[in-house]
């Protein structure tokens, strides 16, 4: 059921974003190292940029997790306001 105010009350699955950005950071860093050892500077730079983006996302996610329930409400808080009776 949609209420029409999802951008205001939307939640981000922070733990999932944490693990996905960590996974991306590890693989991108490994790719950058492997491509630089193989003598492919263009691909190494591309992987380094992806690793940088993943590291920034990881920092933002960790910051939001540490801010507490404002970004990660508990199970007792509904995901959005219930619809009003007409």
């Amino acid at each position: 059921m949609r209420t029409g105010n999802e951008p205001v009350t939307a939640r981000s699955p922070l733990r999932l974003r944490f693990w996905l950005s960590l996974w991306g950071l590890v693989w991108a860093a490994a790719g950058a190292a492997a491509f630089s050892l193989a003598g492919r500077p263009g691909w190494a730079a591309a992987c380094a940029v992806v690793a940088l983006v993943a590291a920034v996302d990881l920092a933002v996610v960790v910051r939001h997790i540490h801010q507490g329930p404002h970004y990660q409400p508990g199970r007792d808080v509904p995901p959005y306001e219930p619809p009003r009776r007409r």
Side-chain angles (χ1 to χ4, degrees):
M1 180 176 350
R2 299 176 71 83
T3 63
N5 66 350
E6 279 80 11
V8 174
T9 59
R11 295 184 189 169
S12 177
L14 293 177
R15 289 184 196 98
L16 177 64
R17 274 183 63 194
F18 172 81
W19 290 111
L20 287 175
S21 62
L22 186 64
W23 179 259
L25 178 64
V26 167
W27 278 101
F35 281 123
S36 69
L37 290 175
R40 303 285 223 167
W43 285 103
C47 285
V49 168
V50 171
L52 179 65
V53 169
V56 169
D57 184 47
L58 188 63
V60 168
V61 168
V62 167
R63 181 176 177 261
H64 285 177
I65 287 173
H66 284 289
Q67 285 181 342
H70 173 68
Y71 283 98
Q72 196 79 341
R75 295 177 190 262
D76 57 336
V77 179
Y80 47 79
E81 298 172 5
R84 297 184 183 121
R85 299 282 182 201
R86 294 181 186 210

